[in-house]
Amino acid sequence: MNRTTRVDRRHPACFILLLDQSYSMSAPMLGAVGRSKAEALADTTNRLLMQLVQRCVVDDKGPRHYFDIALIGYSDRVRPLLKNGDGFANPMVSTPQLADSFLRIHEEPDGQSWPVWLEPVADGQTMMCAALDLAHDFAAGWVAAHQDSPAPVVINITDGEATDGTLDDVAGRVDRLVALRTIEGPLSMFNVAVAARAAEPVLFPSDPAGLPDRYTAGLFHTSSVLTSRMLEYARTDAERHGQPRPGEGARGFVCNADLAAVVKALNVGTL
C-alpha cells in the first residue's frame, strides 16, 4: 500500500536500521578506498541521520518530530545504538532528540562535516535473528501507538549469514515483522547484502534469478515489494545514472552492495 497520510508531528514516520557489526565488517568496503565496511557503513548512516534531521527543519525553531528512528547493532550481542537528548539509550529516538544527542562532529579534509552518532564496530558473530526479534519489539510498540501513521520501514544491512539461526529462522522473524501494520498498510522490509568481492551490484530485483547463492535468494524472498512511490524514485534514480530500471514487483533488496548501492537502498527506504 502507498503512503497517503502526510508525515507531520501527529503522524510521524518510523525507520529502524539493523546494522551488522560482526568481525567480517572489518574487511575493505568496495567503493570506499581505504575504509572498512564498518567505517563506510558508520559514515553513511551518520550522514543519513543528518539528512533526516534536516528534512524536519522548516523554521528557526529546530527540527520537528516528523520521524522516530532506531538503530540496532548486532554481533555477539544486540543493542540499540542511539541515545536520547539526556544521554540514555533509547529504542526509538525522535528527530529533535536525535539532533541533541550526537557524539562529535566529523570533519573531512575537503571541508565537509557531519555529526557522528555511530562509531564503527567490527567484532564477533552475526546475531541477526536476535536483532530481528528486537526490531519486532520496537516496531510492535510503535505501531500500537501510531495506527494513523505510515507503516514502519526496517532496513537490515549485513555482509554474511546469521550465526544464531537458519535461513528459515530469519524468514520466520521477518514474517512476524511484516505482519505488523498501520491503517496505511504493512511494515516494509529491506535487506542489503554488502559485497564480499568485486561484482556488479543487483539493485531492487523482481525475481531471484542470477543471485549468487541460496542465502542471498532467501534474503530476497524476505524483502518487501517496493511501494509505487519507492519504485518511481528507484526508476528515476536508475535512469539518471544510466542503470537498468527496476521492474514491476521490484523488492527492497540489494545484492553485492558497494558503498554507492548501500546509499541508494537507504535513500529509497527512507523516502
Side-chain angles (χ1 to χ4, degrees), residues 45-258:
T45 301
N46 286 323
R47 297 181 81 163
L48 171 70
L49 296 176
M50 178 183 69
Q51 291 164 9
L52 291 176
V53 169
Q54 290 172 338
R55 285 164 58 182
C56 298
V57 176
V58 297
D59 53 33
D60 60 359
K61 297 180 181 179
R64 296 184 178 183
H65 182 187
Y66 290 166
F67 304 130
D68 289 316
I69 304 161
L71 298 187
I72 297 174
Y74 60 96
S75 55
D76 281 341
R77 58 177 179 150
V78 176
R79 66 194 191 282
L81 300 175
L82 291 178
K83 297 181 179 181
N84 61 24
D86 296 321
F88 296 101
N90 206 30
M92 284 288 180
V93 175
S94 69
T95 35
Q97 291 175 324
L98 191 65
D100 290 336
S101 60
F102 58 87
L103 304 174
R104 59 183 176 85
I105 297 293
H106 172 82
E107 295 186 1
E108 290 282 288
D110 62 3
Q112 294 187 74
S113 64
W114 55 83
V116 171
W117 291 270
L118 173 68
E119 300 285 4
V121 174
D123 187 42
Q125 300 189 57
T126 311
M127 295 183 62
M128 189 186 303
C129 290
L132 290 166
D133 284 338
L134 187 58
H136 179 273
D137 291 345
F138 289 179
W142 190 90
V143 163
H146 297 87
Q147 270 297 297
D148 293 335
S149 284
V153 176
V154 176
I155 305 175
N156 178 38
I157 305 176
T158 181
D159 75 338
E161 300 184 18
T163 57
D164 60 344
T166 65
L167 186 55
D168 287 341
D169 294 327
V170 171
R173 284 160 170 82
V174 173
D175 285 345
R176 293 179 64 224
L177 272 168
V178 298
L180 298 172
R181 58 188 303 125
T182 68
I183 60 170
E184 291 282 334
L187 176 148
S188 289
M189 183 75 202
F190 279 60
N191 286 288
V192 180
V194 177
R197 64 185 70 86
E200 189 68 21
V202 179
L203 299 165
F204 313 119
S206 301
D207 65 69
L211 294 179
D213 52 53
R214 175 178 173 272
Y215 195 83
T216 306
L219 289 180
F220 165 85
H221 286 297
T222 62
S223 303
S224 299
V225 173
L226 296 181
T227 66
S228 63
R229 184 167 179 265
M230 291 175 176
L231 182 58
E232 180 182 1
Y233 179 93
R235 285 175 168 173
T236 300
D237 183 77
E239 290 170 355
R240 186 166 58 245
H241 292 91
Q243 298 170 335
R245 296 171 79 249
E248 292 298 325
R251 299 203 180 207
F253 176 67
V254 176
C255 179
N256 298 328
D258 58 8

